[in-house]
Amino acid sequence: MLVAAAVVPCPPMIVPELARGAVAELDGLRAACDQALAALAEAAPDRLIVLGAGEADATLEAGGTGSFARYGVDLEVTLGAGAAARLSPALTVGAWLLGRSPWAAERIASGTAPSPVTGAEIAADAEPARCAARGAELVAGADRVALLVVADGSACRTEKAPGYLDARAEPYDLALGAALEAADQVALAELDPALARELWVAGRPALQVLAGAAGPGRQSRLLYAEAPYGVGYFVALWS
């Protein structure tokens, strides 16, 4: 069963070595992510699953390794036991964020109880029904499961954004932030894959997995909602 979930974004610039002279620009985002991870720790899960979009559905029970070399920095991170599996960009950022948490770092290093860390990827083109089913699969059983959902909003908020400026992006992100703040599983489940593709919403399938995993009656907090680089970044906590 799901006892807690946190949503965090996956901008490579969150890593100080990549941000260089612009490190301070995302200090608030890093602080919000740290706060969300601390809340997951307080939920005392039996296991923590880091979830993000990837090339295909995958369950990384033995963890994996990710690299920021594609962004020009020779930095590797591990998830769980750090097996040979290669982490998607989303899970790579998730693993880096976990490495900042003393609670999580211990589990990442050991890959063992009391709170083993594993990874799960959902195909970037997965349809909503598949996402919902995937969510239910991940939290089935008696174990107390926490989810760290790594997902960006739209990438079309400004002319310098990866997807350029689209007037639909800001209202889309406002609605997405409202859904996260209200723990509105229905709103997340109804996200349109076609519109998400047009607005470069890379996190859409992972957010719909969360909707399938959450169940009713959740309390929620929206800790961060900004678009510093023309991309919608959210940090939210569901308990």
Side-chain angles (χ1 to χ4, degrees), residues 133-153:
R134 179 75 161 144
E137 292 166 4
L138 289 175
V139 300
D143 283 357
R144 294 168 53 85
V145 178
L147 284 179
L148 178 61
V149 182
V150 189
D152 288 346

Side-chain angles (χ1 to χ4, degrees), residues 60-82:
L60 309 179
E61 292 290 354
T65 303
S67 173
F68 290 95
R70 75 189 75 194
Y71 307 112
V73 173
D74 186 16
L75 174 64
E76 285 197 343
V77 293
T78 58
L79 186 67

Side-chain angles (χ1 to χ4, degrees), residues 20-236:
R20 304 185 186 226
V23 171
E25 293 179 3
L26 293 183
D27 280 351
L29 175 57
R30 294 186 195 92
C33 291
D34 292 343
Q35 182 180 351
L37 287 169
L40 290 187
E42 291 173 3
D46 296 320
R47 58 191 174 101
L48 170 65
I49 302 174
V50 185
L51 167 70
E55 293 183 359
D57 290 5
T59 300
L60 309 179
E61 292 290 354
T65 303
S67 173
F68 290 95
R70 75 189 75 194
Y71 307 112
V73 173
D74 186 16
L75 174 64
E76 285 197 343
V77 293
T78 58
L79 186 67
R86 299 301 296 178
L87 301 178
S88 67
L91 262 61
T92 297
V93 171
W96 181 84
L97 287 169
L98 283 170
R100 290 168 54 89
S101 162
W103 168 81
E106 177 186 346
R107 275 59 177 187
I108 291 170
S110 67
T112 58
S115 297
V117 179
T118 60
E121 296 179 0
I122 182 75
D125 61 354
E127 291 299 314
R130 173 56 191 147
C131 295
R134 179 75 161 144
E137 292 166 4
L138 289 175
V139 300
D143 283 357
R144 294 168 53 85
V145 178
L147 284 179
L148 178 61
V149 182
V150 189
D152 288 346
S154 72
C156 298
R157 294 281 293 271
T158 68
E159 292 181 356
K160 294 184 178 180
Y164 196 67
L165 176 63
D166 190 312
R168 299 172 295 174
E170 184 173 0
Y172 184 99
D173 280 345
L174 288 173
L176 181 53
L180 291 172
E181 186 171 28
D184 189 341
Q185 300 101 306
V186 174
L188 294 184
E190 291 179 349
L191 293 174
D192 179 15
L195 179 58
R197 283 192 297 272
E198 292 172 10
L199 297 179
W200 293 42
V201 185
R204 187 274 308 171
L207 293 170
Q208 291 187 312
V209 172
L210 170 61
R218 295 288 169 181
Q219 297 181 330
S220 58
R221 284 185 286 161
L222 185 63
L223 306 177
Y224 185 97
E226 302 288 345
Y229 303 123
V231 183
Y233 298 150
F234 303 93
V235 180

